[in-house]
Amino acid sequence: MSILSRGARLSPAISRRIRRTPYTSRAISSGASEFTVVNHTLLPKAYRKTVAEDYWHLKTRVQIWDVGCQRQVEIAGPDASRLVQWMTPRDISAARIGDCLYLPVIDRDAGMVNDPILLKLEEDRYWLSIADSDLLLFALGLAQASDMNVRVAEPDVSPLAIQGPLSSEVASAVFGDSVRGLERFKFGAFEFRGTSQIVARTGYSSQDGFEVFLDRGSLGEMLWDAVFEVGRPLEIAPGCPNLIDRIEAGLISYGNEVTRENNPLEAGLGRFCSLDRDIRCLGMPALRILARRGIRRRIRGIVFGRGSMPPSDGSLEVFAADADDRRVGTIASAAYSPSLERNVGLAMMEKPFWEAGESVVVRTGDGQFEHGEISELPIK
Amino acid sequence: MSILSRGARLSPAISRRIRRTPYTSRAISSGASEFTVVNHTLLPKAYRKTVAEDYWHLKTRVQIWDVGCQRQVEIAGPDASRLVQWMTPRDISAARIGDCLYLPVIDRDAGMVNDPILLKLEEDRYWLSIADSDLLLFALGLAQASDMNVRVAEPDVSPLAIQGPLSSEVASAVFGDSVRGLERFKFGAFEFRGTSQIVARTGYSSQDGFEVFLDRGSLGEMLWDAVFEVGRPLEIAPGCPNLIDRIEAGLISYGNEVTRENNPLEAGLGRFCSLDRDIRCLGMPALRILARRGIRRRIRGIVFGRGSMPPSDGSLEVFAADADDRRVGTIASAAYSPSLERNVGLAMMEKPFWEAGESVVVRTGDGQFEHGEISELPIK
């Protein structure tokens, strides 16, 4: 239940514990009607459209997203590479300046702590663009306890995302034609109003897209307006991470489908674990043991029911098709997909019920039972 | 702007990233109309009453608060005392089982990471009842990097607070008369429905009060109902941390008045820093240097203006009375106090403008200027 709306009443209480972004004022004036909180920061959750309308728009046009809540943990100094590698089982040794790497961050027991995008800014300077946990405090604890020569800080950087098939039209109009040449998961420095800003070909959607890592809040409204203005002929609309799209794409949301109780293999991130490389990662010994033993559950797609799902305020349970008293999985995120005309979800499924095509039964929010099938990710 | 209300629409989206507490359902059925998010968990922010009505009720009757968002970081094992002491400049060596200690947690630069209540459960087992930051990740980083023999975990413990002058009437009716004997900042084990539960004489208000550290979510609604039932003749009402009361009492809110940019001396927590003791605390060397040099700003009370404050979505600025172009402080939290009939706030004031009685000028949310005076904490 992340049902947190701005509401009509602005309380006279002032608070900075839950932070605004440089774009919050524009999000509100553009019609943001609900917000949630990520990294102690507001994230618009809905504008005037429904999630389904938003989904179609995202798949066909272009959107502007206030994702200033994707805070950056900057790790800089002589031991920066060592500290980053210590936190992740993905080998970062081949990363070059300008690369973005999606990576699991794990603790010594191989429990997931976060799943950020790493930006390699310089040989000894990185940003971790984080999901919803205070990864800065984990990095700080590791670095300070082991007396590493490294600085860990949260800079004044607030990403703005441009997402959708027409996003390169918009990005090139703001940052120049050369931004079209950026490959997926690469970033470069581009000029904006006399400043140099990092723009990456990344984003939390299945579509083409860019993220602008604006490095000074004071330019936020100017950037929003510039993007909006050039996007107007392309029917740009304000948007936010779309639940239907991210489920179909298999993009996990830390805290939802995956927590510290899960390891990256369960999270479906095995391809980002360099188990055979000789790297110094805190959780690698534990992860290798888990890999050898074999995991007992993992994230899968699930497609179930027909017609729009009733509201639910918790996880949905998944049962074996042939023995419906046996729970074999849990759906942490689900939505009705208007393109598949079925409900889709991300399910943590027990072995062996995780095989694609497996028939299961889902208990939905109103206590009804619906047939479903397990699917690969992304869901097609 | 922590204006996050439940709203009329329950989205069909299910999410567990923002967690419910065992009491959320009861808070909603009791009329909670707005929630905020603390530690990835819902905290009711308003019921049917105004903050001022709530304030008078808290000061004269008794309230039940869903503070399940005060998550516990459990630190247990042979190195538990060593790890806790490493994180705080407050000497914990004299603490006994049954003691609650309010303490600053700091990093190596003496920056505030959290300000929890420590509960000493056993000689080698503690809970840190935390404010809004992932202190677990900091403790985990420190412990795992230094290979301490300690377990760091978040148990299934969700505090429920009973606050107000009549709270001992209610607590004793639920837990037996012996609970009245608990001294302030002590806890004990008390029976509830055949289980043993920790009850402490603590709470985030200026009033008498108790916190029940319920150790299994499944009993949450039963506990809420039991407290509500015995409190009914005493006019118990659902409530939440009261902004006016906490400002007057000088209770800081981590993330609001104090962040990692501040050290505990600036936060007004010097009395919880055992600077002269021979303790092994990570941030003590930095803290001693800061203490020797002298700090340049610190938290103070401020009383300003008359009549109810207009809404504001950010901090208020404080200027010198004799040179109103010189900013000498910032008010992160403010509210109208119906007992003082003036606005009260917690201000980070620069030296030497922090002296009690200092005249200053405050720019309020609507751009008006109001005269004010600096005050000791608590504000009287």
Side-chain angles (χ1 to χ4, degrees), chain A residues 139-377:
Chain A
L140 202 65
L142 291 175
Q144 296 191 339
S146 53
D147 211 22
M148 284 186 178
N149 190 355
V150 78
R151 193 167 44 78
V152 178
E154 184 181 299
D156 174 14
V157 171
S158 302
L160 183 76
I162 304 166
Q163 301 286 299
L166 307 182
S167 55
S168 66
E169 304 297 310
V170 172
S172 60
V174 176
F175 297 103
D177 239 21
S178 61
V179 85
R180 291 178 192 266
L182 268 184
E183 290 170 45
R184 187 91 182 136
F185 275 80
K186 300 284 179 186
F187 71 83
F190 295 85
E191 196 266 341
F192 179 72
R193 298 284 191 271
T195 69
S196 173
Q197 300 294 340
I198 284 174
V199 179
R201 194 95 180 221
T202 50
Y204 194 57
S205 82
S206 68
Q207 303 298 314
D208 189 15
F210 298 82
E211 290 179 304
V212 186
F213 289 76
L214 188 70
D215 76 354
R216 61 205 78 182
S218 57
L219 293 182
E221 296 182 357
M222 205 179 284
L223 176 61
W224 177 286
D225 293 344
V227 170
F228 219 93
E229 201 49 50
V230 302
R232 206 179 291 272
L234 303 169
E235 297 175 33
I236 197 169
C240 46
N242 185 278
L243 182 65
I244 308 166
D245 177 71
R246 86 159 178 87
I247 290 172
E248 290 182 344
L251 298 171
I252 61 172
S253 159
Y254 185 78
N256 268 330
E257 298 86 39
V258 171
T259 70
R260 209 166 59 86
E261 301 297 309
N262 303 112
N263 62 61
L265 307 177
E266 291 174 349
L269 305 180
R271 64 193 183 283
F272 302 112
C273 298
S274 311
L275 290 165
D276 302 328
R277 302 280 178 83
D278 181 26
I279 55 175
R280 189 156 173 270
C281 161
L282 176 70
M284 189 58 99
L287 189 59
R288 287 200 179 112
I289 290 170
L290 288 165
R292 205 160 49 231
R293 281 191 197 150
I295 53 171
R296 286 156 186 248
R297 53 184 183 177
R298 70 171 291 184
I299 292 267
R300 287 307 209 167
I302 186 166
V303 180
F304 63 102
R306 298 194 179 274
S308 191
M309 246 196 329
S312 165
D313 55 15
S315 300
L316 306 180
E317 294 179 316
V318 183
F319 297 88
D322 56 353
D324 64 10
D325 55 344
R326 176 159 178 202
R327 200 176 76 174
V328 297
T330 308
I331 304 175
S333 300
Y336 177 72
S337 166
S339 60
L340 296 178
E341 297 183 334
R342 301 197 64 190
N343 297 310
V344 291
L346 294 174
M348 186 62 77
M349 295 301 302
E350 283 177 26
K351 190 175 180 180
F353 299 88
W354 66 35
E355 296 297 335
E358 180 79 29
S359 272
V360 292
V361 173
V362 178
R363 183 159 65 195
T364 58
D366 58 357
Q368 297 298 304
F369 291 86
E370 300 271 15
H371 281 280
E373 300 92 50
I374 301 305
S375 128
E376 302 282 351
L377 287 172

Side-chain angles (χ1 to χ4, degrees), chain B residues 74-85 92-99 118-127 149-150 187:
Chain B
E74 177 164 320
I75 297 181
D79 289 328
S81 298
R82 202 177 126 217
L83 176 56
V84 172
Q85 186 65 81
I92 64 157
S93 62
R96 288 184 301 183
I97 294 169
D99 283 353
L118 177 74
L119 284 79
K120 182 163 180 169
L121 302 168
E122 299 169 30
E123 285 305 328
D124 60 357
R125 183 165 161 255
Y126 298 87
W127 283 344
N149 189 354
V150 77
F187 71 82

Side-chain angles (χ1 to χ4, degrees), chain A residues 1 3-6 9 14-18 34 36-37 40 108 132 134 144 147 243 255-256 312, chain B residues 3-6 9 13-18 34 36-37 40 107-108 132 134 144 147 256 312 314:
Chain A
M1 196 188 79
I3 313 308
L4 307 158
S5 72
R6 187 165 61 93
R9 291 175 297 151
I14 55 177
S15 165
R16 64 170 186 171
R17 186 178 60 78
I18 293 178
E34 290 184 19
T36 185
V37 176
H40 314 279
R108 197 171 54 181
D132 187 25
D134 293 338
Q144 296 191 339
D147 211 22
L243 182 65
N256 268 330
S312 165
Chain B
I3 314 310
L4 306 159
S5 71
R6 188 165 62 93
R9 290 175 298 149
I14 55 176
S15 167
R16 63 172 188 171
R17 187 179 59 79
I18 294 179
E34 289 184 20
T36 184
V37 176
H40 316 280
D107 65 16
R108 196 170 56 181
D132 188 27
D134 294 338
Q144 296 192 339
D147 211 21
N256 268 330
S312 166

Side-chain angles (χ1 to χ4, degrees), chain A residues 1-7 9-18 20 24 28 33-40 42-43 45-47 51 86 106-109 113 132-148 150 152-154 243 246 253-260 262 282 308-316 331-335, chain B residues 1-18 20 24 28 33-40 42-43 45-47 51 86 106-109 113 132-148 150 152-154 243 253-260 262 282 308-316 331-335:
Chain A
M1 196 188 79
S2 55
I3 313 308
L4 307 158
S5 72
R6 187 165 61 93
R9 291 175 297 151
L10 270 177
S11 154
I14 55 177
S15 165
R16 64 170 186 171
R17 186 178 60 78
I18 293 178
R20 296 166 70 98
T24 301
I28 291 172
S33 57
E34 290 184 19
F35 287 86
T36 185
V37 176
V38 173
N39 291 320
H40 314 279
L42 292 173
L43 170 68
K45 199 177 148 66
Y47 287 84
V51 178
W86 208 24
I106 60 175
D107 66 16
R108 197 171 54 181
D109 303 318
V113 169
D132 187 25
S133 78
D134 293 338
L135 181 54
L136 186 147
L137 295 182
F138 186 61
L140 202 65
L142 291 175
Q144 296 191 339
S146 53
D147 211 22
M148 284 186 178
V150 78
V152 178
E154 184 181 299
L243 182 65
R246 86 159 178 87
S253 159
Y254 185 78
N256 268 330
E257 298 86 39
V258 171
T259 70
R260 209 166 59 86
N262 303 112
L282 176 70
S308 191
M309 246 196 329
S312 165
D313 55 15
S315 300
L316 306 180
I331 304 175
S333 300
Chain B
M1 196 190 81
S2 55
I3 314 310
L4 306 159
S5 71
R6 188 165 62 93
R9 290 175 298 149
L10 270 177
S11 154
I14 55 176
S15 167
R16 63 172 188 171
R17 187 179 59 79
I18 294 179
R20 297 166 70 99
T24 300
I28 291 172
S33 57
E34 289 184 20
F35 287 86
T36 184
V37 176
V38 173
N39 290 321
H40 316 280
L42 292 173
L43 170 67
K45 198 177 149 66
Y47 286 86
V51 178
W86 207 24
I106 60 176
D107 65 16
R108 196 170 56 181
D109 303 317
V113 169
D132 188 27
S133 78
D134 294 338
L135 181 54
L136 185 147
L137 295 183
F138 186 60
L140 201 65
L142 291 175
Q144 296 192 339
S146 54
D147 211 21
M148 284 187 177
V150 77
V152 177
E154 183 182 299
L243 183 66
S253 159
Y254 185 77
N256 268 330
E257 299 86 37
V258 171
T259 70
R260 209 166 60 86
N262 303 112
L282 176 71
S308 190
M309 248 196 326
S312 166
D313 56 13
S315 300
L316 306 180
I331 304 176
S333 299

